[in-house]
Amino acid sequence: MAMEITQFLLAAQSADANIRNKAENNLRQLQQQNLPGFLLSLSFELANNGKPTESRTLAGIVLKNSLDAKDVSTKEALVKQWMAIDISCKSQIKDLVLRTLSSPVPEASHTSAQVIAKIASIEIPQKLWPELIQSLLTTMTQQDSPASLKQATLETLGYVCEEISHEDLVQEEVNAVLTAVVQGMNLAEHSAEVRLAATKALYNALDFAHNNFQNEMERTYIMKMVCETARSKETDIRQAAFECLVSIASTYYDVLEPYMQTLFELTSNAVKRDEEAVALQAIEFWSSICDEEIELQEFENPESEDSSSSHSHFIEKARSSLVPMLLETLLKQEEDQDQDDSIWNISMAGGTCLGLVARTVGDEIVPLVMPFVEANIMNPDWRCREAATYAFGSILEGPTIEKLAPLVQTGLEFLLNAMRDENNQVKDTTAWTLSRIFELLHCPANGFSVISPDNLQQVLSVLLESIKDAPNVAEKVCGAIYYVAQGYEDAGSSSSLVSPYITTIIAELLRTADRTDGGDSKLRFSAYETLNEVVRCCNISETSQIIAELLPAIMSRLDQTLQLHIISSDDREKQGDLQASLCGVLQVIIQKFSSTDDTKSIILQAADQIMVLFLRVFACRSSTVHEEAMLAIGSLAYATGPEFAKYMPDFYQYLQMGLQNSEEYQVCSITVGVVGDICRALDNKVLPYCDGIMSLLLNDLSSSHLHRSVKPPILSCFGDIALAIGEHFEKYVPSTLQMMQDAAKACAQLDSNDEEMVDYGNQLRRSIFEAYSGILQGFKNAKPEVMLPYAQHLLQFIEVVFRDRQRDESVTKAAVAVLGDLADALGPNTKILFKDFAFFPEFLGECLQSEDEQIKETAGWTQGMIGRVMVS
């Protein structure tokens, strides 16, 4: 197979698509016929210095991809495949890839380092490759090891640390790894390539160093080496060292005090004098410190004496030197940086960090920044004007309204005039700053707004004029209008102030959405998003006629997209994006009109035409559209209620497609939500479709391919269906309740140390309770005895959740509600069960003491329901 595989690997990189495809098929066949033999052949290819570099590199990549995948279920399957391979075959593969580290061909050694890390990610957590770390460390300590081997070994250690958890190594191994890595950074002993690999490896190993950072001597040695490395003459090594400092800032904030003076000098020099790649990391160090202190401030208890024991107030102490340094970076703009939002340079990083400093120190930032603003805002040099505007916009979140109000009220007129500046970048930043002002300081409902009846006309006339400016400026202006509209939501009589301008605002936003000079669809997307917010927040009693006229205009635009001549995939994508935006606007209009009885009839009259359009959009089969059209149909179902039944025969096929779309799981998740909307709208009229829907939902729930985030909504959906069809849900009970019990078991197996899994566990438990609530309520008036066999499991599950301190309030709310539903639906039948489960008085007591009014209220109702059962 050796000669054969070399030829296949080379052919798989051919410029000729036919040769390439044939070679890929041949490789796939070899893999399917004999996986162990295939992986072993790839390892021999990678290890053989006589083979072409191209075939060796691809062999390593294919080998790596046979061990790992981004998709969780695919990854699990690959791990099982590897574990099933004969141990002697695996040992050979591991020996070969370790041997490849000494290859004189950098591409081969680099790829083998990645392969070793992927094998380690499978085997080390299971204690199956205990000798790996020692083997790598031995290479590092051997005097005669060539520099290239040390470089490859350090690279491997870094990758391994990236792949595994700090819990997978014992402390002695961690100590040895850190020693080898830090020694590898030594300037006197190693080449630049080795030192770079060592510094990158340290970055990946820092998460393992918790115990070492608690030891002052070890910590100081590591910090000394990192700081020395940050002064290296090689730019890439300095950059890697600063990346380590950024990680240290967030991981070991609480032990940084003794080093902060040195770190300030180091970062300050880098920001002022170093290459941009290094300076960016130096700024990021201070951004990380801000992030830590903002988080500490959020969780601080002002009444506790030692609440700030871990809060070192580094930003507050450094502010008088740090802020001027950051302000200087704002003057280092690139020409035309406003044309590309993906640009990240020193002025962008400096402004972002300045914003974080403002959030950290609050009012204290204002006197440090305002002299810079005042000195530069009228400077003839555009860079100074733009920097001053950016500085002002960056400090609007953090200081109190009392501190900012006079500055913003004075500055608003100036900024509105600056929208006519001759420089595009100044206008772009001014529009962004205005957007920030309206987002943060325009809230009539809370009693403060920088916009008043006296200046509203001026504000809107400037914005509606500036929306005609260059596309990048217009996009920021859309943001400003968005927040002006949002500020008037729930603002009582103040919301009437903007009503006279709604017609003009809508007209300008539609005109902006039609512009063709944007280059991409970003401006159009912003215009439609802003239009949505204008409709959502307007005073419907004053603007219903205007929105009623907007409805056919949007429907007409959606109809026009169906006539577009589609030639390329690019055309198809643009059509899909436009349809998604228009379906989004229709959804908001439907929701707005459905919110009052006076306007609901407008939607009911247009519902047939709207639904026809949505069905034609579905026929385009574009996933983005599918999502937006699905959401809009959910709103239409809510608006039309039982009348929606007439659309089900035509719509049902698309509902099925959505529920079967496990690849685009967001589409599937939204479709599950729409099933709930339809159940609430149709009640028992949904019955003819329930067999198909339930079958698809149960398939989704048992699928290992479907993203886990869709599974909680599916469980909740069972409750919606049961509530809609009542006693007819009986035939689904055995399979549904089994799934719910399996989900309850799965909750207990989730990693309680993983924050993401704790959140997911809470979603899962809440949805299980919601499902039980819906099913119990569905059977309450007919056949409640169907649920009696499941009552004990439910009470056991509620008790387990009650004992868990990681449950969030939404879980508590759902648990106490289902407890009441159980008593309410099954009545006296549950009396013995409630006597057996003595936890519930304690649980109810906790809920009755809750600060959440809804939990308290639900607990009171539940207490009454159980009380009624106990005296029966």
Side-chain angles (χ1 to χ4, degrees):
M1 194 195 272
M3 180 57 72
E4 203 177 36
I5 204 161
T6 305
Q7 296 310 316
F8 291 160
L9 288 164
L10 290 172
Q13 299 172 72
S14 167
D16 186 322
N18 291 328
I19 295 172
R20 197 168 62 245
N21 291 337
K22 190 178 175 186
E24 285 170 0
N25 286 331
N26 287 329
L27 288 169
R28 213 171 288 118
Q29 278 178 353
L30 290 175
Q31 186 174 18
Q32 288 162 357
Q33 287 163 5
N34 178 5
L35 180 68
F38 177 66
L39 297 182
L40 192 56
S41 296
L42 292 172
S43 308
F44 275 116
E45 186 77 20
L46 180 59
N48 189 338
N49 287 326
K51 294 286 185 177
T53 301
E54 294 80 6
S55 67
R56 294 177 74 186
T57 306
L58 186 56
I61 291 168
V62 175
L63 186 54
K64 176 170 74 80
N65 293 343
S66 302
L67 298 162
D68 192 24
K70 284 181 182 175
D71 179 70
V72 177
S73 52
T74 309
K75 183 173 182 168
E76 285 171 1
L78 293 175
V79 168
K80 280 181 188 167
Q81 278 183 3
W82 173 259
M83 294 306 292
I85 294 172
D86 177 72
I87 195 161
S88 63
C89 178
K90 284 192 288 198
S91 296
Q92 263 188 289
I93 292 170
K94 290 190 283 192
D95 289 343
L96 286 163
V97 289
L98 278 169
R99 198 193 310 162
T100 311
L101 290 177
S102 61
S103 170
V105 179
E107 293 89 344
S109 59
H110 172 75
T111 311
S112 68
Q114 293 177 314
V115 174
I116 291 164
K118 294 300 179 187
I119 298 173
S121 74
I122 298 170
E123 297 208 345
I124 286 182
Q126 301 187 50
K127 312 295 181 200
L128 292 176
W129 200 1
E131 69 276 15
L132 171 65
I133 299 294
Q134 193 49 56
S135 161
L136 294 170
L137 293 172
T138 302
T139 303
M140 285 305 298
T141 52
Q142 283 173 347
Q143 293 298 314
D144 57 347
S145 290
S148 61
L149 176 56
K150 287 190 175 181
Q151 180 187 347
T153 304
L154 285 163
E155 210 173 293
T156 308
L157 281 168
Y159 287 142
V160 169
C161 288
E162 191 177 14
E163 290 289 340
I164 65 175
S165 161
H166 63 89
E167 294 167 356
D168 295 327
L169 298 184
V170 296
Q171 190 57 44
E172 289 76 15
E173 287 176 314
V174 172
N175 294 344
V177 168
L178 286 170
T179 302
V181 167
V182 174
Q183 284 177 354
M185 294 163 71
N186 194 316
L187 175 62
E189 293 180 25
H190 298 295
S191 66
E193 291 77 13
V194 170
R195 281 163 43 236
L196 178 60
T199 311
K200 287 182 172 179
L202 177 64
Y203 177 84
N204 288 325
L206 280 169
D207 198 36
F208 293 70
H210 284 274
N211 287 342
N212 310 80
F213 265 79
Q214 295 311 311
N215 179 312
E216 188 183 350
M217 194 168 77
E218 291 181 36
R219 178 177 72 237
T220 299
Y221 179 62
I222 294 170
M223 291 300 293
K224 175 174 171 285
M225 287 305 297
V226 175
C227 290
E228 282 178 9
T229 307
R231 295 187 182 97
S232 299
K233 68 175 191 293
E234 299 86 356
T235 304
D236 51 359
I237 296 178
R238 290 198 306 278
Q239 182 182 343
F242 273 103
E243 284 171 6
C244 287
L245 288 174
V246 171
S247 178
I248 289 167
S250 57
T251 314
Y252 301 111
Y253 168 90
D254 55 334
V255 294
L256 284 184
E257 180 84 62
Y259 318 102
M260 286 308 286
Q261 186 58 43
T262 303
L263 292 170
F264 182 82
E265 289 165 12
L266 203 57
T267 51
S268 181
N269 285 333
V271 171
K272 289 172 183 172
R273 299 179 190 90
D274 213 326
E275 302 285 331
E276 184 170 81
V278 182
L280 285 172
Q281 291 304 318
I283 294 171
E284 188 62 28
F285 170 83
W286 289 103
S287 291
S288 291
I289 295 287
C290 287
D291 286 335
E292 290 305 306
E293 297 198 346
I294 290 166
E295 191 174 347
L296 284 168
Q297 282 159 204
E298 281 173 3
F299 291 103
E300 255 180 16
N301 177 4
E303 293 169 20
S304 167
E305 286 181 22
D306 63 349
S307 64
S308 60
S309 57
S310 60
H311 193 329
S312 300
H313 301 277
F314 293 136
I315 300 297
E316 194 181 324
K317 291 170 188 170
R319 69 183 189 278
S320 57
S321 305
L322 177 61
V323 170
M325 176 183 86
L326 294 172
L327 290 170
E328 284 303 307
T329 66
L330 305 188
L331 293 160
K332 297 180 180 178
Q333 309 97 322
E334 288 175 29
E335 295 280 352
D336 300 328
Q337 71 179 30
D338 56 321
Q339 301 296 325
D340 183 359
D341 280 350
S342 65
I343 284 178
W344 186 248
N345 56 33
I346 195 162
S347 75
M348 305 289 289
T352 302
C353 188
L354 187 65
L356 290 168
V357 172
R359 287 177 58 198
T360 310
V361 302
D363 287 355
E364 294 166 6
I365 192 87
V366 175
L368 295 169
V369 170
M370 285 314 293
F372 176 86
V373 174
E374 287 156 6
N376 288 283
I377 198 77
M378 296 183 72
N379 195 301
D381 184 347
W382 73 265
R383 290 180 182 278
C384 296
R385 297 198 304 280
E386 194 276 338
T389 311
Y390 189 21
F392 187 62
S394 297
I395 63 164
L396 293 172
E397 188 178 4
T400 57
I401 285 180
E402 290 73 22
K403 191 76 173 176
L404 288 173
L407 299 172
V408 173
Q409 279 162 341
T410 308
L412 183 60
E413 175 88 21
F414 187 92
L415 289 166
L416 292 170
N417 289 329
M419 285 307 298
R420 300 183 183 89
D421 196 282
E422 63 197 31
N423 180 273
N424 197 62
Q425 225 161 300
V426 173
K427 285 187 286 189
D428 183 90
T429 303
T430 304
W432 172 79
T433 301
L434 285 168
S435 174
R436 295 261 298 165
I437 287 171
F438 301 143
E439 178 188 4
L440 299 165
L441 296 158
H442 163 51
C443 192
N446 290 348
F448 177 79
S449 176
V450 69
I451 301 177
S452 66
D454 299 332
N455 65 13
L456 176 60
Q457 184 175 0
Q458 183 195 7
V459 167
L460 287 174
S461 65
V462 168
L463 294 178
L464 294 174
E465 186 58 38
S466 300
I467 205 170
K468 298 168 187 165
D469 213 310
N472 60 300
V473 175
E475 190 199 331
K476 306 287 192 314
V477 171
C478 283
I481 296 170
Y482 180 101
Y483 288 117
V484 169
Q486 191 181 82
Y488 287 113
E489 185 186 15
D490 301 327
S493 59
S494 294
S495 65
S496 298
L497 294 173
V498 81
S499 296
Y501 304 99
I502 294 291
T503 303
T504 315
I505 292 171
I506 288 174
E508 283 302 330
L509 288 170
L510 289 173
R511 197 189 63 76
T512 304
D514 289 338
R515 281 174 60 167
T516 55
D517 60 341
D520 57 25
S521 57
K522 217 160 156 196
L523 176 57
R524 186 177 64 206
F525 178 78
S526 294
Y528 279 125
E529 282 295 293
T530 304
L531 178 60
N532 288 347
E533 199 64 4
V534 168
V535 171
R536 196 179 68 78
C537 300
C538 69
N539 185 325
I540 191 68
S541 63
E542 297 173 351
T543 56
S544 60
Q545 189 54 44
I546 301 163
I547 309 301
E549 289 166 13
L550 176 64
L551 177 59
I554 297 297
M555 289 168 65
S556 170
R557 284 169 177 244
L558 187 55
D559 183 53
Q560 285 164 27
T561 67
L562 298 161
Q563 325 296 330
L564 290 173
H565 191 47
I566 306 297
I567 298 169
S568 64
S569 59
D570 192 38
D571 290 343
R572 172 73 64 199
E573 190 181 340
K574 282 179 181 172
Q575 180 198 41
D577 288 345
L578 181 52
Q579 288 175 340
S581 288
L582 291 165
C583 286
V585 179
L586 285 175
Q587 183 195 357
V588 175
I589 294 173
I590 292 166
Q591 287 171 337
K592 192 70 178 177
F593 280 144
S594 305
S595 64
T596 71
D597 291 336
D598 294 340
T599 52
K600 206 169 192 176
S601 59
I602 299 170
I603 287 300
L604 296 178
Q605 287 162 16
D608 288 359
Q609 292 169 280
I610 295 172
M611 194 65 193
V612 166
L613 273 174
F614 287 153
L615 292 171
R616 288 172 65 202
V617 166
F618 273 120
C620 292
R621 304 283 167 89
S622 161
S623 68
T624 29
V625 169
H626 206 156
E627 244 174 276
E628 300 291 339
M630 258 309 165
L631 285 166
I633 281 175
S635 300
L636 192 64
Y638 172 80
T640 54
E643 291 297 308
F644 191 82
K646 65 182 174 184
Y647 306 128
M648 282 300 288
D650 292 321
F651 174 57
Y652 180 64
Q653 60 173 312
Y654 299 113
L655 199 68
Q656 283 180 303
M657 282 165 55
L659 293 175
Q660 288 168 330
N661 195 345
S662 57
E663 291 298 309
E664 293 156 328
Y665 66 89
Q666 295 95 335
V667 173
C668 187
S669 183
I670 286 165
T671 310
V672 171
V674 170
V675 170
D677 293 332
I678 290 169
C679 287
R680 285 184 286 278
L682 297 187
D683 286 330
N684 60 6
K685 285 187 180 179
V686 79
L687 194 56
Y689 306 95
C690 282
D691 282 357
I693 289 170
M694 284 299 296
S695 171
L696 289 168
L697 290 175
L698 289 166
N699 282 345
D700 282 342
L701 209 50
S702 55
S703 165
S704 59
H705 298 294
L706 184 62
H707 196 275
R708 67 166 187 254
S709 65
V710 187
K711 300 196 174 182
I714 291 173
L715 290 164
S716 299
C717 193
F718 290 152
D720 295 326
I721 294 169
L723 206 49
I725 64 173
E727 63 188 284
H728 300 289
F729 193 79
E730 184 177 359
K731 63 177 171 179
Y732 309 122
V733 165
S735 49
T736 305
L737 269 289
Q738 184 59 56
M739 286 288 193
M740 286 159 61
Q741 289 174 355
D742 290 346
K745 273 186 208 155
C747 291
Q749 291 157 8
L750 297 174
D751 182 358
S752 60
N753 295 316
D754 182 335
E755 204 174 313
E756 201 177 305
M757 294 314 285
V758 169
D759 286 345
Y760 177 64
N762 278 324
Q763 290 169 29
L764 206 52
R765 292 186 298 189
R766 184 180 69 237
S767 63
I768 294 167
F769 290 141
E770 286 171 353
Y772 268 116
S773 277
I775 296 169
L776 285 164
Q777 288 170 29
F779 283 121
K780 178 184 166 185
N781 297 321
K783 298 193 177 179
E785 66 278 0
V786 171
M787 288 302 289
L788 254 181
Y790 305 99
Q792 185 167 359
H793 172 266
L794 174 55
L795 282 167
Q796 285 169 342
F797 185 49
I798 296 171
E799 182 168 14
V800 167
V801 172
F802 163 60
R803 306 278 177 215
D804 181 7
R805 296 293 104 189
Q806 288 186 311
R807 66 181 148 91
D808 63 22
E809 285 197 341
S810 69
V811 174
T812 303
K813 206 176 291 183
V816 77
V818 78
L819 197 58
D821 288 324
L822 183 67
D824 183 31
L826 304 189
N829 293 318
T830 55
K831 187 172 182 176
I832 295 167
L833 278 173
F834 278 117
K835 281 182 177 172
D836 289 346
F837 285 88
F839 77 92
F840 76 85
E842 192 185 341
F843 181 35
L844 288 175
E846 179 200 302
C847 293
L848 289 165
Q849 297 297 311
S850 171
E851 290 177 10
D852 185 306
E853 284 303 318
Q854 214 177 336
I855 291 178
K856 206 184 285 187
E857 192 181 318
T858 308
W861 173 79
T862 297
Q863 194 174 43
M865 289 297 111
I866 296 174
R868 204 168 68 185
V869 166
M870 300 310 274
V871 298
S872 60

